[in-house]
Amino acid sequence: DTAVSQTPKYLVTQMGNDKSIKCEQNLGHDTMYWYKQDSKKFLKIMFSYNNKELIINETVPNRFSPKSPDKAHLNLHINSLELGDSAVYFCASSQYKQGWGSYNEQFFGPGTRLTVL
Amino acid sequence: KNEVEQSPQNLTAQEEEFITINCSYSVGISALHWLQQHPGGGIVSLFMLSSGKKKHGRLIATINIQEKHSSLHITASHPRDSAVYICAVFNTDKLIFGTGTRLQVFP
C-alpha cells in the first residue's frame, strides 16, 4: 500500500544513454513533482504537473522530458545522459489548491539514485 | 545566497539533549514544511505550518511570519532522531528547500 512509488531505486548507466524513471501515486492526488537532490543533498524542483498539465518547469535542460499519462503517474525521461545528471531524483505528490495561501502537504517517493559513468 | 537558510549545518548531541534547528527565509511564503531525511534516503514530512506552533510527540515546530523564521525543536533526543532535517517554504506553487541540517545523536 505504498503511497508514492518510484522505479527503479538504483540506475547505473553510461554517458550518452537514454533512461526513464517511473513514478506512481495511489493517494488520489492531482499534482505530481520531480525533484533533484545533488551530491550536497540540496533538493531542487524540476517539474510539476497538475491534472497531466505542466505547471512548473524550472530551467531544466531539454534532455529531461516529463510525461504524465494520467493523474497517478509522472515519468521522467532523460536523453543523452551526462555525468552531471548523477543525483537522487525524488517524485512527490499533493492535492493542488489554487491561489496564494493555499498549500497541501507533499508526499515523497523513496528516490531513484542515478549514477552516470 | 539561498532563499532558505538553515542553521546549524551539522549538529551532534548526546542522548536526551534538547535540540533546536533554525530556518530563515527571504521570500514570501504561504506555508513552511519541515522534512526528515533518513540515512537510507527516504523523505518524511514532519510538519506543515503557516502560523504559530505545532507539536507531535517529542517534536515541536514554530514559525514567526513577521520575522521570516521557523524553528524545529526535539526534546529528549534519541539516536533514532539522527537524520537530515530539511526546511522548505512554499512560494508561488513550488517548494524552495533549505540546505538541510545533519543531526547525529549519540548514546
Side-chain angles (χ1 to χ4, degrees):
Chain A
D1 57 346
T2 306
V4 184
S5 59
Q6 293 179 230
T7 53
K9 191 166 171 60
Y10 300 96
L11 185 52
V12 181
T13 188
Q14 299 285 337
M15 258 192 338
N17 284 350
D18 303 338
K19 290 292 176 186
S20 291
I21 306 171
K22 295 186 176 181
C23 178
E24 177 180 1
Q25 54 94 5
N26 61 6
L27 297 166
H29 290 161
D30 60 2
T31 305
M32 296 183 73
Y33 310 82
W34 275 110
Y35 295 97
K36 180 180 180 181
Q37 187 174 44
D38 61 24
S39 57
K40 294 183 179 177
K41 299 284 193 178
F42 186 64
L43 275 158
K44 192 166 183 189
I45 188 162
M46 300 173 68
F47 300 103
S48 170
Y49 268 74
N50 173 252
N51 278 317
K52 303 194 295 174
E53 287 192 23
L54 182 68
I55 55 173
I56 293 174
N57 181 341
E58 285 287 303
T59 59
V60 178
N62 290 340
R63 300 182 295 102
F64 290 79
S65 52
K67 284 190 172 47
S68 182
D70 55 58
K71 285 196 312 183
H73 296 85
L74 181 62
N75 304 322
L76 184 64
H77 188 76
I78 315 170
N79 289 327
S80 304
L81 278 155
E82 299 177 358
L83 292 176
D85 298 332
S86 295
V88 181
Y89 292 84
F90 285 95
C91 176
S93 75
S94 71
Q95 189 61 27
Y96 183 76
K97 280 200 273 190
Q98 197 169 15
W100 187 258
S102 299
Y103 170 66
N104 266 333
E105 185 178 7
Q106 292 187 21
F107 294 82
F108 288 80
T112 295
R113 182 176 294 276
L114 171 64
T115 303
V116 182
L117 304 174
Chain B
K1 189 169 159 57
N2 202 32
E3 292 161 303
V4 182
E5 296 283 350
Q6 285 183 239
S7 63
Q9 284 191 327
N10 294 285
L11 184 54
T12 57
Q14 288 295 122
E15 192 169 356
E16 293 293 321
E17 274 188 41
F18 180 83
I19 286 161
T20 296
I21 299 170
N22 295 299
C23 174
S24 296
Y25 52 92
S26 57
V27 295
I29 71 168
S30 52
L32 184 143
H33 210 154
W34 279 103
L35 304 161
Q36 181 191 52
Q37 186 168 25
H38 284 285
I43 296 175
V44 174
S45 170
L46 297 176
F47 294 103
M48 188 185 83
L49 63 166
S50 54
S51 65
K53 177 178 173 178
K54 285 191 176 181
K55 186 176 189 291
H56 181 70
R58 295 179 295 107
L59 301 178
I60 303 166
T62 64
I63 187 168
N64 185 319
I65 296 291
Q66 286 74 28
E67 294 186 4
K68 296 190 172 180
H69 182 269
S70 175
S71 293
L72 176 69
H73 305 285
I74 305 175
T75 61
S77 60
H78 190 276
R80 65 174 175 265
D81 297 326
S82 298
V84 175
Y85 292 82
I86 302 169
C87 168
V89 300
F90 194 66
N91 169 271
T92 54
D93 284 346
K94 68 182 182 187
L95 278 177
I96 303 172
F97 295 86
T99 49
T101 295
R102 183 177 299 277
L103 171 66
Q104 288 185 288
V105 182
F106 294 100

